[in-house]
Amino acid sequence: MTKNGIRIIANVTRIALISAAAAMTLAGCLQTPEEKAAFKASQAAPTPVVMNATKGEAPTVSGLSHYKDGYPGFGAPLTAANVQMSDQEAGGLQSKLTALAAQRKAGTISEAEYQRRVAEFRKLAAEHGADTLSEIAN
């Protein structure tokens, strides 16, 4: 066999291997719409579970998974312990704080009144967590 013949065979083999590798790579990227929907559903946020206070009573059955010995299984995604702030509440607080800053900048509110309101908001931020925990505990 001549050098040209060996070169041609080597080039054809190289192209075949590259094509096979590209086909295998692209085959791994293709997903059916059902597979895409199943993946999207598995990534969705879990629905929250509301637990009632037991006040010393035996705990009620929850949506969490439990082992045979009664201990909870933490393999499933956990949910939030409390209700999150809504967009309306966040917008209301933001508008209050923006209005307070605008009043301070325009000079329509005294520095003492501004500092009093800031201290009020900081006190609310510091005590809100403890108040909520005491409500949950009772």
Side-chain angles (χ1 to χ4, degrees):
M1 193 170 255
T2 65
K3 286 186 178 183
N4 280 343
I6 294 174
R7 237 182 244 146
I8 290 173
I9 292 173
N11 286 338
V12 169
T13 305
R14 185 179 306 134
I15 290 171
L17 289 174
I18 291 171
S19 299
M24 286 189 292
T25 303
L26 291 175
C29 295
L30 300 178
Q31 292 181 341
T32 64
E34 293 81 18
E35 291 172 331
K36 289 180 182 178
F39 178 75
K40 195 172 196 178
S42 70
Q43 297 298 315
T47 56
V49 177
V50 178
M51 304 291 291
N52 296 328
T54 58
K55 297 186 181 179
E57 303 162 1
T60 59
V61 177
S62 69
L64 296 175
S65 63
H66 288 74
Y67 294 110
K68 293 177 185 176
D69 56 5
Y71 288 99
F74 294 104
L78 299 177
T79 57
N82 202 352
V83 179
Q84 300 298 313
M85 180 187 294
S86 69
D87 290 337
Q88 291 82 14
E89 290 174 317
L93 288 174
Q94 184 176 6
S95 64
K96 282 182 185 179
L97 294 174
T98 304
L100 181 60
Q103 288 175 347
R104 181 182 188 203
K105 188 175 183 180
T108 58
I109 188 172
S110 69
E111 185 65 25
E113 177 64 17
Y114 175 79
Q115 292 300 331
R116 184 191 68 76
R117 288 188 187 178
V118 168
E120 181 181 324
F121 283 127
R122 286 186 178 152
K123 180 182 177 190
L124 175 66
E127 295 176 356
H128 179 69
D131 292 345
T132 304
L133 284 175
S134 66
E135 284 180 24
I136 292 171
N138 293 328

